[in-house]
Amino acid sequence: MARPLDDLLAELEQFGQTNDGSTTERPRRMLNITRDTGEFLAVLVRATLARRVLEIGTSNGYSTLWLADAARAIGGSVTTVELSASKVGLATTNFTRSGLASYISLVHADAGRVLEGSADGAFDLIFLDSERPEYPGWWPHLRRVLRPGGLLVVDNATSHPEQMAPFMALVTADAEFVTSLVPVGNGEFLAVRAAR
């Protein structure tokens, strides 16, 4: 990772901690992933050669930068979806500063609608870090837009077990998926779709 990008990531980590420590209103919090989760995602993108990455839940773009830097290294790109206008503004600025903007497509929209409008098998890797109660309703489209052999990664699997349980049960019960819970950061739930 280039030094300027690493410096920006460190700056965003500090900003996220300071911001989230000063407000309890969920819409105003950044709720960024941990650095070790970012490193883990970057390895997963490279290891699976995931050139078409979908992120749901951009926030200020911290996690997107980890994904985009890895995708750039293998000739790929990231589509990231965020509903909050203020967070879209923050993320846009951070993407420009990072030098990775040309590898990122930021979609300001409802994630459910974006999933509905996406083609079958459109993505190699999906990173889900958004509104957890929505996940079960999104599942039919999530599984459809993930290509055979593709990887779904879901944040907060151990930090919010009660909220995650219904979704994890749905995915685990699907015979087409093999799952694993990885104790990195706030817990990452991984699900690989069977290659046909």
Side-chain angles (χ1 to χ4, degrees):
M1 179 175 290
R3 180 63 188 269
L5 179 55
D6 197 46
D7 289 346
L8 175 58
L9 288 169
E11 178 189 321
L12 294 180
E13 287 162 15
Q14 186 59 52
F15 168 75
Q17 290 168 9
T18 302
N19 178 81
D20 291 5
S22 66
T23 183
T24 56
E25 295 177 56
R26 182 172 165 79
R28 294 180 179 270
R29 301 182 80 203
M30 296 299 109
L31 303 168
N32 292 145
I33 59 169
T34 59
R35 176 169 276 262
D36 59 345
T37 301
E39 293 167 349
F40 183 60
L41 289 173
V43 167
L44 290 176
V45 168
R46 287 177 171 89
T48 61
L49 296 178
R51 292 185 178 89
R52 302 170 303 158
V53 177
L54 173 65
E55 175 184 49
I56 297 178
T58 313
S59 187
N60 63 341
Y62 176 77
S63 52
T64 319
L65 296 179
W66 284 102
L67 293 165
D69 185 53
R72 171 180 62 177
I74 58 169
S77 62
V78 177
T79 299
T80 184
V81 183
E82 176 59 55
L83 187 57
S84 164
S86 62
K87 289 181 178 177
V88 165
L90 289 171
T92 300
T93 298
N94 292 329
F95 296 161
T96 300
R97 291 180 61 202
S98 73
L100 292 169
S102 61
Y103 300 92
I104 301 167
S105 174
L106 176 55
V107 181
H108 181 198
D110 173 76
R113 290 192 179 156
V114 172
L115 287 167
E116 285 174 25
S118 297
D120 292 3
F123 301 103
D124 304 315
L125 184 147
I126 299 173
F127 178 54
L128 194 52
D129 186 17
S130 185
E131 299 301 319
R132 291 176 289 276
E134 301 288 338
Y135 296 175
W138 292 346
W139 175 236
H141 290 295
L142 285 165
R143 78 183 304 284
R144 181 182 59 78
V145 304
L146 186 66
R147 70 158 169 83
L151 176 64
L152 172 68
V153 184
V154 191
D155 196 40
N156 302 116
T158 56
S159 63
H160 294 77
E162 300 85 6
Q163 290 183 359
M164 285 288 293
F167 180 69
M168 289 170 64
L170 265 179
V171 181
T172 303
D174 192 315
E176 201 173 339
F177 284 79
V178 175
T179 64
S180 177
L181 183 60
V182 182
V184 172
N186 293 315
E188 303 307 305
F189 178 63
L190 274 58
V192 178
R193 186 174 182 186
R196 291 195 185 126

